[in-house]
PDB file of all heavy atoms in Angstrom:
ATOM      1  N   VAL B 183     -50.016 -11.740  79.933  1.00 92.00           N
ATOM      2  CA  VAL B 183     -49.961 -12.512  81.177  1.00 92.00           C
ATOM      3  C   VAL B 183     -51.358 -12.939  81.620  1.00 92.00           C
ATOM      4  O   VAL B 183     -52.272 -12.121  81.697  1.00 92.00           O
ATOM      5  CB  VAL B 183     -49.288 -11.680  82.286  1.00 92.00           C
ATOM      6  CG1 VAL B 183     -49.406 -12.382  83.623  1.00 92.00           C
ATOM      7  CG2 VAL B 183     -47.831 -11.416  81.945  1.00 92.00           C
ATOM      8  N   SER B 184     -51.498 -14.233  81.893  1.00 90.00           N
ATOM      9  CA  SER B 184     -52.745 -14.735  82.470  1.00 90.00           C
ATOM     10  C   SER B 184     -52.503 -14.962  83.949  1.00 90.00           C
ATOM     11  O   SER B 184     -51.610 -15.721  84.336  1.00 90.00           O
ATOM     12  CB  SER B 184     -53.123 -16.055  81.778  1.00 90.00           C
ATOM     13  OG  SER B 184     -53.604 -16.980  82.736  1.00 90.00           O
ATOM     14  N   LEU B 185     -53.290 -14.292  84.795  1.00 88.00           N
ATOM     15  CA  LEU B 185     -53.088 -14.430  86.238  1.00 88.00           C
ATOM     16  C   LEU B 185     -53.231 -15.883  86.662  1.00 88.00           C
ATOM     17  O   LEU B 185     -52.496 -16.366  87.521  1.00 88.00           O
ATOM     18  CB  LEU B 185     -54.090 -13.562  87.006  1.00 88.00           C
ATOM     19  CG  LEU B 185     -53.814 -12.060  87.011  1.00 88.00           C
ATOM     20  CD1 LEU B 185     -54.801 -11.348  87.918  1.00 88.00           C
ATOM     21  CD2 LEU B 185     -52.389 -11.765  87.475  1.00 88.00           C
ATOM     22  N   ARG B 186     -54.186 -16.587  86.045  1.00 86.00           N
ATOM     23  CA  ARG B 186     -54.427 -17.968  86.449  1.00 86.00           C
ATOM     24  C   ARG B 186     -53.200 -18.846  86.163  1.00 86.00           C
ATOM     25  O   ARG B 186     -52.886 -19.758  86.931  1.00 86.00           O
ATOM     26  CB  ARG B 186     -55.660 -18.511  85.717  1.00 86.00           C
ATOM     27  CG  ARG B 186     -56.202 -19.762  86.371  1.00 86.00           C
ATOM     28  CD  ARG B 186     -57.529 -20.184  85.761  1.00 86.00           C
ATOM     29  NE  ARG B 186     -58.561 -19.146  85.899  1.00 86.00           N
ATOM     30  CZ  ARG B 186     -59.769 -19.235  85.319  1.00 86.00           C
ATOM     31  NH1 ARG B 186     -60.083 -20.287  84.588  1.00 86.00           N
ATOM     32  NH2 ARG B 186     -60.651 -18.279  85.487  1.00 86.00           N
ATOM     33  N   ALA B 187     -52.518 -18.562  85.049  1.00 90.00           N
ATOM     34  CA  ALA B 187     -51.386 -19.402  84.649  1.00 90.00           C
ATOM     35  C   ALA B 187     -50.091 -19.004  85.362  1.00 90.00           C
ATOM     36  O   ALA B 187     -49.077 -19.711  85.272  1.00 90.00           O
ATOM     37  CB  ALA B 187     -51.206 -19.339  83.133  1.00 90.00           C
ATOM     38  N   LEU B 188     -50.127 -17.888  86.100  1.00 92.00           N
ATOM     39  CA  LEU B 188     -48.890 -17.361  86.699  1.00 92.00           C
ATOM     40  C   LEU B 188     -48.273 -18.332  87.710  1.00 92.00           C
ATOM     41  O   LEU B 188     -47.049 -18.411  87.840  1.00 92.00           O
ATOM     42  CB  LEU B 188     -49.189 -16.007  87.369  1.00 92.00           C
ATOM     43  CG  LEU B 188     -48.003 -15.122  87.747  1.00 92.00           C
ATOM     44  CD1 LEU B 188     -47.072 -14.883  86.578  1.00 92.00           C
ATOM     45  CD2 LEU B 188     -48.487 -13.782  88.308  1.00 92.00           C
ATOM     46  N   THR B 189     -49.121 -19.093  88.419  1.00 90.00           N
ATOM     47  CA  THR B 189     -48.587 -20.023  89.416  1.00 90.00           C
ATOM     48  C   THR B 189     -47.831 -21.188  88.776  1.00 90.00           C
ATOM     49  O   THR B 189     -47.098 -21.890  89.457  1.00 90.00           O
ATOM     50  CB  THR B 189     -49.708 -20.618  90.296  1.00 90.00           C
ATOM     51  OG1 THR B 189     -50.650 -21.260  89.440  1.00 90.00           O
ATOM     52  CG2 THR B 189     -50.409 -19.540  91.095  1.00 90.00           C
ATOM     53  N   GLY B 190     -48.026 -21.388  87.484  1.00 90.00           N
ATOM     54  CA  GLY B 190     -47.390 -22.517  86.802  1.00 90.00           C
ATOM     55  C   GLY B 190     -46.058 -22.165  86.157  1.00 90.00           C
ATOM     56  O   GLY B 190     -45.342 -23.062  85.715  1.00 90.00           O
ATOM     57  N   GLN B 203     -43.417 -12.989  97.422  1.00 93.00           N
ATOM     58  CA  GLN B 203     -44.107 -13.484  96.225  1.00 93.00           C
ATOM     59  C   GLN B 203     -45.475 -14.063  96.585  1.00 93.00           C
ATOM     60  O   GLN B 203     -46.444 -13.871  95.847  1.00 93.00           O
ATOM     61  CB  GLN B 203     -43.245 -14.536  95.516  1.00 93.00           C
ATOM     62  CG  GLN B 203     -42.096 -13.993  94.691  1.00 93.00           C
ATOM     63  CD  GLN B 203     -40.983 -13.336  95.487  1.00 93.00           C
ATOM     64  OE1 GLN B 203     -40.459 -12.309  95.107  1.00 93.00           O
ATOM     65  NE2 GLN B 203     -40.610 -13.916  96.628  1.00 93.00           N
ATOM     66  N   HIS B 204     -45.557 -14.753  97.740  1.00 90.00           N
ATOM     67  CA  HIS B 204     -46.837 -15.299  98.203  1.00 90.00           C
ATOM     68  C   HIS B 204     -47.844 -14.179  98.420  1.00 90.00           C
ATOM     69  O   HIS B 204     -48.991 -14.252  97.988  1.00 90.00           O
ATOM     70  CB  HIS B 204     -46.649 -16.070  99.521  1.00 90.00           C
ATOM     71  CG  HIS B 204     -45.690 -17.232  99.431  1.00 90.00           C
ATOM     72  ND1 HIS B 204     -44.332 -17.068  99.283  1.00 90.00           N
ATOM     73  CD2 HIS B 204     -45.905 -18.566  99.481  1.00 90.00           C
ATOM     74  CE1 HIS B 204     -43.750 -18.261  99.241  1.00 90.00           C
ATOM     75  NE2 HIS B 204     -44.683 -19.186  99.356  1.00 90.00           N
ATOM     76  N   ARG B 205     -47.378 -13.104  99.112  1.00 91.00           N
ATOM     77  CA  ARG B 205     -48.285 -11.995  99.415  1.00 91.00           C
ATOM     78  C   ARG B 205     -48.728 -11.292  98.134  1.00 91.00           C
ATOM     79  O   ARG B 205     -49.877 -10.870  98.012  1.00 91.00           O
ATOM     80  CB  ARG B 205     -47.568 -10.986 100.324  1.00 91.00           C
ATOM     81  CG  ARG B 205     -47.632 -11.363 101.793  1.00 91.00           C
ATOM     82  CD  ARG B 205     -46.652 -10.572 102.634  1.00 91.00           C
ATOM     83  NE  ARG B 205     -46.699  -9.144 102.363  1.00 91.00           N
ATOM     84  CZ  ARG B 205     -45.737  -8.283 102.717  1.00 91.00           C
ATOM     85  NH1 ARG B 205     -44.666  -8.720 103.362  1.00 91.00           N
ATOM     86  NH2 ARG B 205     -45.845  -7.018 102.441  1.00 91.00           N
ATOM     87  N   TYR B 206     -47.799 -11.176  97.190  1.00 94.00           N
ATOM     88  CA  TYR B 206     -48.126 -10.531  95.911  1.00 94.00           C
ATOM     89  C   TYR B 206     -49.231 -11.296  95.199  1.00 94.00           C
ATOM     90  O   TYR B 206     -50.242 -10.724  94.778  1.00 94.00           O
ATOM     91  CB  TYR B 206     -46.866 -10.464  95.052  1.00 94.00           C
ATOM     92  CG  TYR B 206     -47.085  -9.837  93.695  1.00 94.00           C
ATOM     93  CD1 TYR B 206     -47.193  -8.454  93.565  1.00 94.00           C
ATOM     94  CD2 TYR B 206     -47.174 -10.620  92.546  1.00 94.00           C
ATOM     95  CE1 TYR B 206     -47.382  -7.869  92.329  1.00 94.00           C
ATOM     96  CE2 TYR B 206     -47.359 -10.038  91.302  1.00 94.00           C
ATOM     97  CZ  TYR B 206     -47.468  -8.663  91.195  1.00 94.00           C
ATOM     98  OH  TYR B 206     -47.668  -8.103  89.962  1.00 94.00           O
ATOM     99  N   LEU B 207     -49.068 -12.618  95.090  1.00 93.00           N
ATOM    100  CA  LEU B 207     -50.076 -13.438  94.405  1.00 93.00           C
ATOM    101  C   LEU B 207     -51.403 -13.381  95.160  1.00 93.00           C
ATOM    102  O   LEU B 207     -52.474 -13.253  94.551  1.00 93.00           O
ATOM    103  CB  LEU B 207     -49.586 -14.884  94.283  1.00 93.00           C
ATOM    104  CG  LEU B 207     -48.450 -15.096  93.265  1.00 93.00           C
ATOM    105  CD1 LEU B 207     -47.954 -16.534  93.308  1.00 93.00           C
ATOM    106  CD2 LEU B 207     -48.900 -14.727  91.856  1.00 93.00           C
ATOM    107  N   ALA B 208     -51.339 -13.444  96.506  1.00 91.00           N
ATOM    108  CA  ALA B 208     -52.573 -13.405  97.298  1.00 91.00           C
ATOM    109  C   ALA B 208     -53.307 -12.085  97.062  1.00 91.00           C
ATOM    110  O   ALA B 208     -54.535 -12.063  96.919  1.00 91.00           O
ATOM    111  CB  ALA B 208     -52.251 -13.596  98.776  1.00 91.00           C
ATOM    112  N   ALA B 209     -52.535 -10.981  96.987  1.00 91.00           N
ATOM    113  CA  ALA B 209     -53.166  -9.673  96.781  1.00 91.00           C
ATOM    114  C   ALA B 209     -53.830  -9.597  95.405  1.00 91.00           C
ATOM    115  O   ALA B 209     -54.766  -8.834  95.188  1.00 91.00           O
ATOM    116  CB  ALA B 209     -52.139  -8.558  96.944  1.00 91.00           C
ATOM    117  N   LEU B 210     -53.318 -10.383  94.456  1.00 92.00           N
ATOM    118  CA  LEU B 210     -53.933 -10.429  93.118  1.00 92.00           C
ATOM    119  C   LEU B 210     -55.090 -11.436  93.093  1.00 92.00           C
ATOM    120  O   LEU B 210     -55.665 -11.705  92.042  1.00 92.00           O
ATOM    121  CB  LEU B 210     -52.891 -10.824  92.058  1.00 92.00           C
ATOM    122  CG  LEU B 210     -51.803  -9.798  91.748  1.00 92.00           C
ATOM    123  CD1 LEU B 210     -50.805 -10.377  90.748  1.00 92.00           C
ATOM    124  CD2 LEU B 210     -52.415  -8.513  91.176  1.00 92.00           C
ATOM    125  N   GLY B 211     -55.377 -12.035  94.251  1.00 90.00           N
ATOM    126  CA  GLY B 211     -56.498 -12.972  94.326  1.00 90.00           C
ATOM    127  C   GLY B 211     -56.121 -14.387  93.933  1.00 90.00           C
ATOM    128  O   GLY B 211     -56.984 -15.222  93.674  1.00 90.00           O
ATOM    129  N   ILE B 212     -54.786 -14.667  93.896  1.00 89.00           N
ATOM    130  CA  ILE B 212     -54.344 -16.013  93.519  1.00 89.00           C
ATOM    131  C   ILE B 212     -53.883 -16.734  94.781  1.00 89.00           C
ATOM    132  O   ILE B 212     -52.871 -16.365  95.387  1.00 89.00           O
ATOM    133  CB  ILE B 212     -53.184 -15.943  92.505  1.00 89.00           C
ATOM    134  CG1 ILE B 212     -53.582 -15.051  91.332  1.00 89.00           C
ATOM    135  CG2 ILE B 212     -52.805 -17.340  92.025  1.00 89.00           C
ATOM    136  CD1 ILE B 212     -52.440 -14.719  90.392  1.00 89.00           C
ATOM    137  N   GLU B 213     -54.610 -17.750  95.206  1.00 81.00           N
ATOM    138  CA  GLU B 213     -54.263 -18.472  96.423  1.00 81.00           C
ATOM    139  C   GLU B 213     -53.550 -19.783  96.087  1.00 81.00           C
ATOM    140  O   GLU B 213     -53.571 -20.233  94.955  1.00 81.00           O
ATOM    141  CB  GLU B 213     -55.521 -18.755  97.250  1.00 81.00           C
ATOM    142  CG  GLU B 213     -56.274 -17.496  97.703  1.00 81.00           C
ATOM    143  CD  GLU B 213     -55.546 -16.699  98.783  1.00 81.00           C
ATOM    144  OE1 GLU B 213     -54.607 -17.264  99.380  1.00 81.00           O
ATOM    145  OE2 GLU B 213     -55.896 -15.524  99.005  1.00 81.00           O
ATOM    146  N   GLY B 214     -52.942 -20.404  97.097  1.00 77.00           N
ATOM    147  CA  GLY B 214     -52.324 -21.714  96.907  1.00 77.00           C
ATOM    148  C   GLY B 214     -50.870 -21.609  96.521  1.00 77.00           C
ATOM    149  O   GLY B 214     -50.280 -20.530  96.534  1.00 77.00           O
ATOM    150  N   GLY B 215     -50.276 -22.755  96.215  1.00 81.00           N
ATOM    151  CA  GLY B 215     -48.848 -22.796  95.937  1.00 81.00           C
ATOM    152  C   GLY B 215     -48.505 -22.304  94.539  1.00 81.00           C
ATOM    153  O   GLY B 215     -49.382 -22.026  93.731  1.00 81.00           O
ATOM    154  N   PHE B 216     -47.224 -22.203  94.290  1.00 88.00           N
ATOM    155  CA  PHE B 216     -46.756 -21.845  92.950  1.00 88.00           C
ATOM    156  C   PHE B 216     -45.363 -22.414  92.771  1.00 88.00           C
ATOM    157  O   PHE B 216     -44.633 -22.585  93.760  1.00 88.00           O
ATOM    158  CB  PHE B 216     -46.770 -20.332  92.733  1.00 88.00           C
ATOM    159  CG  PHE B 216     -45.977 -19.543  93.731  1.00 88.00           C
ATOM    160  CD1 PHE B 216     -44.655 -19.185  93.470  1.00 88.00           C
ATOM    161  CD2 PHE B 216     -46.526 -19.176  94.950  1.00 88.00           C
ATOM    162  CE1 PHE B 216     -43.917 -18.464  94.387  1.00 88.00           C
ATOM    163  CE2 PHE B 216     -45.783 -18.458  95.888  1.00 88.00           C
ATOM    164  CZ  PHE B 216     -44.481 -18.104  95.602  1.00 88.00           C
ATOM    165  N   TRP B 237     -39.666 -15.186  87.463  1.00 97.00           N
ATOM    166  CA  TRP B 237     -40.105 -13.836  87.817  1.00 97.00           C
ATOM    167  C   TRP B 237     -40.029 -13.698  89.335  1.00 97.00           C
ATOM    168  O   TRP B 237     -40.018 -14.702  90.044  1.00 97.00           O
ATOM    169  CB  TRP B 237     -41.534 -13.571  87.324  1.00 97.00           C
ATOM    170  CG  TRP B 237     -42.592 -14.378  88.031  1.00 97.00           C
ATOM    171  CD1 TRP B 237     -43.028 -15.637  87.717  1.00 97.00           C
ATOM    172  CD2 TRP B 237     -43.330 -13.997  89.210  1.00 97.00           C
ATOM    173  NE1 TRP B 237     -43.974 -16.059  88.607  1.00 97.00           N
ATOM    174  CE2 TRP B 237     -44.192 -15.071  89.537  1.00 97.00           C
ATOM    175  CE3 TRP B 237     -43.344 -12.849  90.013  1.00 97.00           C
ATOM    176  CZ2 TRP B 237     -45.053 -15.041  90.644  1.00 97.00           C
ATOM    177  CZ3 TRP B 237     -44.207 -12.829  91.115  1.00 97.00           C
ATOM    178  CH2 TRP B 237     -45.054 -13.913  91.417  1.00 97.00           C
ATOM    179  N   VAL B 257     -44.634  -7.783  85.665  1.00 96.00           N
ATOM    180  CA  VAL B 257     -45.484  -8.909  85.281  1.00 96.00           C
ATOM    181  C   VAL B 257     -46.933  -8.427  85.123  1.00 96.00           C
ATOM    182  O   VAL B 257     -47.610  -8.759  84.151  1.00 96.00           O
ATOM    183  CB  VAL B 257     -45.393 -10.026  86.348  1.00 96.00           C
ATOM    184  CG1 VAL B 257     -46.395 -11.123  86.073  1.00 96.00           C
ATOM    185  CG2 VAL B 257     -43.976 -10.593  86.386  1.00 96.00           C
ATOM    186  N   VAL B 258     -47.382  -7.618  86.079  1.00 94.00           N
ATOM    187  CA  VAL B 258     -48.697  -6.977  85.969  1.00 94.00           C
ATOM    188  C   VAL B 258     -48.464  -5.481  86.167  1.00 94.00           C
ATOM    189  O   VAL B 258     -47.879  -5.077  87.175  1.00 94.00           O
ATOM    190  CB  VAL B 258     -49.674  -7.490  87.056  1.00 94.00           C
ATOM    191  CG1 VAL B 258     -51.024  -6.795  86.922  1.00 94.00           C
ATOM    192  CG2 VAL B 258     -49.828  -9.001  86.977  1.00 94.00           C
ATOM    193  N   LEU B 301     -49.972  -2.718  95.538  1.00 70.00           N
ATOM    194  CA  LEU B 301     -50.798  -3.229  94.451  1.00 70.00           C
ATOM    195  C   LEU B 301     -51.855  -2.227  94.009  1.00 70.00           C
ATOM    196  O   LEU B 301     -52.879  -2.592  93.466  1.00 70.00           O
ATOM    197  CB  LEU B 301     -51.486  -4.537  94.841  1.00 70.00           C
ATOM    198  CG  LEU B 301     -50.564  -5.703  95.181  1.00 70.00           C
ATOM    199  CD1 LEU B 301     -51.385  -6.987  95.237  1.00 70.00           C
ATOM    200  CD2 LEU B 301     -49.479  -5.865  94.135  1.00 70.00           C
TER     201      LEU B 301
END
Side-chain angles (χ1 to χ4, degrees):
Chain B
V183 172
S184 139
L185 285 186
R186 197 172 300 173
L188 195 53
T189 57
Q203 282 68 221
H204 300 71
R205 276 166 48 197
Y206 179 77
L207 288 175
L210 290 176
I212 308 170
E213 299 289 345
F216 56 94
W237 68 273
V257 173
V258 179
L301 299 193

